[in-house]
Amino acid sequence: MARRPRPKADTPIPTAASEVPPFSVDDYNLVAGSADLKEVRLISSTFKTEASYYTLKDDEESGLSNEFDWSLISYSYHEDSRAAMAVYSMTVEVRAKRRSLLKIEDRYLIVYAGIDSGAKESAVRAFMMRIGRFAVYPYFRAHVSQLSWASKA
């Protein structure tokens, strides 16, 4: 049985838009035109709330702040199957000064398949870094809504 080649992946994963690898517009457009979103899967979820959140949430003087963050955790491109996968972390947090009162952190696996066989790895990676979070966000938003409803937060 032939051994499959290991997926191409660089570490560490860049987190800023300025760290997107260099690519040509034509190479990127080849990926964008051929990649099909095949799967968005929740693979990890953490929900935490403090009791004091419920007493402070309706108080306009409480100084609560809302924060949203996302990051690309891992990425791989499988040339032989023409598929790319990435894991994204999405977090929403409510704070009172430095104290976290409510926090939801989800991790999603996304898979794009059907990537053109002529695609360059740098363009695939740039595509996953730029577009992947937009594919994941509606799922995260829906999950946060469910948790918010269930916890009356």
Side-chain angles (χ1 to χ4, degrees):
M1 176 180 220
R3 206 168 182 177
R4 289 179 58 170
R6 294 190 66 153
K8 292 182 181 179
D10 300 325
T11 36
I13 298 297
T15 56
S18 63
E19 296 180 51
V20 173
F23 60 91
S24 79
V25 172
D26 290 338
D27 291 340
Y28 185 88
N29 288 340
L30 182 65
V31 175
S34 62
D36 292 320
L37 180 61
K38 291 297 182 191
E39 189 158 354
V40 177
R41 183 180 293 193
L42 177 66
I43 59 172
S44 170
S45 181
T46 305
F47 174 73
K48 174 185 77 90
T49 185
E50 300 286 331
S52 59
Y53 169 77
Y54 296 100
T55 59
L56 295 173
K57 74 175 188 157
D58 295 324
D59 180 2
E60 292 182 20
E61 306 282 320
S62 65
L64 295 181
S65 64
N66 298 318
E67 298 174 11
F68 170 78
D69 194 20
W70 68 273
S71 61
L72 177 61
I73 302 297
S74 65
Y75 155 84
S76 63
Y77 174 47
H78 305 262
E79 262 183 279
D80 57 330
S81 60
R82 299 175 34 219
M85 298 187 303
V87 175
Y88 280 88
S89 173
M90 298 260 175
T91 305
V92 65
E93 190 168 18
V94 177
R95 293 179 166 272
K97 297 184 181 173
R98 292 185 181 187
R99 187 171 169 206
S100 176
L101 300 179
L102 181 142
K103 185 173 182 178
I104 300 168
E105 181 178 6
D106 290 349
R107 288 190 178 191
Y108 291 88
L109 169 70
I110 63 168
V111 178
Y112 279 90
I115 298 169
D116 191 280
S117 59
K120 293 187 177 163
E121 195 274 336
S122 60
V124 174
R125 183 178 177 141
F127 176 81
M128 294 298 282
M129 291 174 68
R130 298 172 111 200
I131 300 302
R133 64 184 164 153
F134 297 110
V136 169
Y137 182 75
Y139 295 86
F140 178 66
R141 186 182 65 213
H143 190 236
V144 168
S145 179
Q146 290 173 335
L147 293 173
S148 178
W149 173 82
S151 65
K152 296 187 180 10

